[in-house]
Amino acid sequence: MDSLPDAIIQYILSHLSNARDVAACNCVSKRWRESLTYLRSLYFPRNSFDSRPGSYSSDTVVWKMLSATACLEELVVYSPFTSAGLASWLSLVHSSLKDLELRMDNVMDYQAYLDSPSKLDCIAAAKKLKSLKLWGVLMANPPKWDVFENLLCLEIVGARLEDPALSAALGACPNLTNLVLLGCEGVRSVLIELPYLEHCKLDFYGSGNCSLSLTCPQIELLEVQGCSWIRVRETSCLRNLSIANNAGRVYMVDFGKLSALESLSMRGVQWCWDAISKMLEWSNEVKHLYMKVEFTGDLEALLPFPEVDFVEFFNSHPKLQKFDIHGAMFAALCQKNSLKNVEPGFVIPCLEEVVVQVRSPLNAEQKMNTLESLLKYGKNLKKMVIRILQMKSSHSSTDEFFDEICRLRFMNRKIVRIE
């Protein structure tokens, strides 16, 4: 590389990011060391300083490396650091920094949270950020942030949050288009009002009984886990929606008409039947429907789904192309009277793929009738996957039921597959 022009050397080395690689190159020659000024990104892995010789602290080493850069745009730090160290780093690179990712590691460290300024407060210096990602955050009090006008993406993973603190943090990011909160606990009531938000993923850890109110007219993708009460007022742009509650119950949903919705996923142990029926009613334009809800019931009692009319269901979802059906919903479609309203000329016009999960041989005749009806009336059906899961072999009708499924597969071998 000695024969290459300086501009080429600078261009090649500017694509380095791992701090150890940068440090190694820094020792090669004066020419290489001067070329590292043009680094765009620096990444400090978790173990960056595990075997570090010398007397400098890790905060100081990072500061020295950052002081050698002129236009750093991305900084990722997974190694341990202090609030004082973070403040000194951002004082060097705040004018050019666009992407910041930090492993805070203070979820349980209340003493570190009492530092003034805290690590969260120090981030306010990077006013030109476009992306901020934080891991292991304790946010008990509102962070002392000014408005991040340029911030488009905010991700917080593994956090202990209080409602006022989260509200203040979101209020400091009015132009967000992408919001991700994963593995967050402590929240009880979440209010999100972001006019430009397009993608939102929320995963609240705990008892699953928090409430969510979201007002985001540009929202296109929404994934919610751990909420019992959900209200989303403006949904004209919403195309992909996923609601799950693995720890609690879904009591209430309020979405209005979901005219643009293409994909809907409903998962959880127990949903109020009113919430399920409303979601199915509002999503009549959906193309992909995934349902894995085990029980209904408004209170503590776990109840099976009421009967769902086969013809009415598919007539009300004429654009449905892929249907993943598990547990109670499949049983509801397999009731004795579910197929009584089939009229001449009835078809399922757009259905191309069905995934059915079967766990019990009970009501075997109706289940087989439903599977056969999907094949008969789904004129464009290309694939049916029947998943046999944890079926009790001790039941007297298990073998007969499985034989019937195998027969169905043999008669429709180009379409049906058993897993």
Side-chain angles (χ1 to χ4, degrees):
M1 291 178 64
D2 290 341
S3 61
L4 294 176
D6 287 347
I8 300 298
I9 297 291
Q10 292 167 4
Y11 177 79
I12 293 173
L13 296 182
S14 70
H15 285 75
L16 292 175
S17 61
N18 190 289
R20 292 194 174 192
D21 296 337
V22 173
C25 292
N26 193 53
C27 299
V28 173
S29 68
K30 179 181 178 182
R31 187 186 183 203
W32 279 36
R33 183 166 59 252
E34 293 175 347
S35 297
L36 292 173
T37 301
Y38 301 95
L39 281 174
R40 299 290 183 184
S41 174
L42 260 179
Y43 165 54
F44 293 86
R46 183 68 174 169
N47 60 349
S48 295
F49 304 102
D50 285 357
S51 58
R52 174 184 54 83
S55 58
Y56 292 119
S57 68
S58 58
D59 285 350
T60 302
V61 174
V62 176
W63 185 89
K64 285 181 173 291
M65 295 186 71
L66 292 177
S67 64
T69 66
C71 49
L72 193 73
E73 295 182 356
E74 181 182 27
L75 175 61
V76 180
V77 182
Y78 288 169
S79 57
F81 62 92
T82 66
S83 57
L86 179 59
S88 66
W89 307 342
L90 295 182
S91 68
L92 293 172
V93 299
H94 67 89
S95 61
S96 61
L97 196 63
K98 296 180 181 178
D99 303 305
L100 178 62
E101 183 171 352
L102 301 172
R103 181 164 176 165
M104 307 289 278
D105 278 349
N106 67 343
V107 171
M108 302 301 295
D109 189 356
Y110 286 91
Q111 184 59 44
Y113 183 76
L114 295 176
D115 292 344
S116 183
S118 68
K119 292 178 181 179
L120 278 175
D121 294 340
C122 294
I123 296 173
K127 298 182 183 297
K128 296 184 179 180
L129 286 179
K130 291 186 176 180
S131 174
L132 175 61
K133 300 179 182 180
L134 304 174
W135 299 72
V137 183
L138 174 62
M139 193 183 291
N141 295 317
K144 297 176 182 178
W145 291 351
D146 295 325
V147 176
F148 291 103
E149 294 286 355
N150 298 325
L151 193 65
L152 302 178
C153 176
L154 175 63
E155 295 188 18
I156 300 177
V157 180
R160 291 177 61 89
L161 308 173
E162 294 292 338
D163 295 348
L166 177 59
S167 179
L170 295 178
C173 313
N175 298 317
L176 286 179
T177 60
N178 191 349
L179 174 63
V180 177
L181 304 175
L182 299 180
C184 298
E185 60 178 320
V187 293
R188 294 174 294 276
S189 179
V190 181
L191 174 63
I192 300 176
E193 296 179 340
L194 296 167
Y196 305 108
L197 192 66
E198 297 176 356
H199 300 92
C200 184
K201 297 182 180 181
L202 308 173
D203 177 15
F204 299 119
Y205 176 78
S207 59
N209 61 353
C210 69
S211 64
L212 169 67
S213 177
L214 188 142
T215 305
C216 305
Q218 302 299 320
I219 192 72
E220 296 179 2
L221 180 147
L222 176 62
E223 297 181 7
V224 182
Q225 151 65 27
C227 289
S228 291
W229 295 270
I230 304 170
R231 173 173 281 112
V232 182
R233 300 306 303 162
E234 300 184 54
T235 58
S236 60
C237 297
L238 188 60
R239 290 179 171 80
N240 297 281
L241 174 61
S242 174
I243 303 174
N245 196 335
N246 298 325
R249 302 173 181 83
V250 177
Y251 288 109
M252 188 277 292
V253 291
D254 184 3
F255 281 86
K257 183 67 174 177
L258 297 168
S259 57
L261 195 67
E262 297 180 355
S263 176
L264 172 63
S265 173
M266 294 187 286
R267 291 172 290 131
V269 176
Q270 183 180 12
W271 281 48
C272 171
W273 179 249
D274 182 65
I276 294 175
S277 59
K278 283 183 177 178
M279 290 304 306
L280 293 176
E281 178 184 349
W282 294 328
S283 61
N284 58 357
E285 301 291 319
V286 73
K287 296 179 180 178
H288 180 191
L289 178 59
Y290 181 98
M291 290 195 66
K292 191 177 182 181
V293 180
E294 299 300 329
F295 300 97
T296 185
D298 296 338
L299 299 174
E300 296 295 329
L302 300 176
L303 302 177
F305 282 19
E307 184 176 295
V308 175
D309 186 272
F310 183 91
V311 175
E312 182 180 343
F313 175 82
F314 283 104
N315 279 340
S316 61
H317 298 85
K319 297 182 180 180
L320 190 61
Q321 296 177 359
K322 183 177 180 180
F323 191 18
D324 286 76
I325 179 172
H326 301 250
M329 184 61 183
F330 180 58
L333 283 170
C334 296
Q335 296 300 312
K336 183 177 181 180
N337 296 319
S338 295
L339 291 166
K340 69 178 182 179
N341 294 322
V342 178
E343 299 177 354
F346 167 73
V347 295
I348 307 173
C350 298
L351 191 64
E352 297 180 357
E353 182 176 348
V354 176
V355 179
V356 180
Q357 182 173 293
V358 181
R359 294 191 301 180
S360 169
L362 297 177
N363 204 15
E365 182 179 353
Q366 279 74 35
K367 288 178 179 178
M368 291 306 304
N369 288 339
T370 300
L371 293 174
E372 291 170 353
S373 296
L374 289 168
L375 290 166
K376 178 179 179 180
Y377 300 113
K379 299 301 183 182
N380 293 309
L381 191 64
K382 299 175 182 177
K383 184 166 83 171
M384 174 184 286
V385 179
I386 304 174
R387 292 177 177 162
I388 311 296
L389 180 65
Q390 298 176 342
M391 186 179 292
K392 296 180 180 180
S393 59
S394 60
H395 197 280
S396 59
S397 61
T398 299
D399 291 341
E400 294 180 8
F401 182 41
F402 191 74
D403 287 343
E404 288 297 309
I405 293 177
C406 291
R407 180 190 61 80
L408 183 72
R409 190 261 175 197
F410 179 78
M411 298 296 293
N412 303 273
R413 61 177 67 122
K414 292 183 178 181
I415 299 177
V416 179
R417 186 173 80 243
I418 300 174
E419 295 181 356

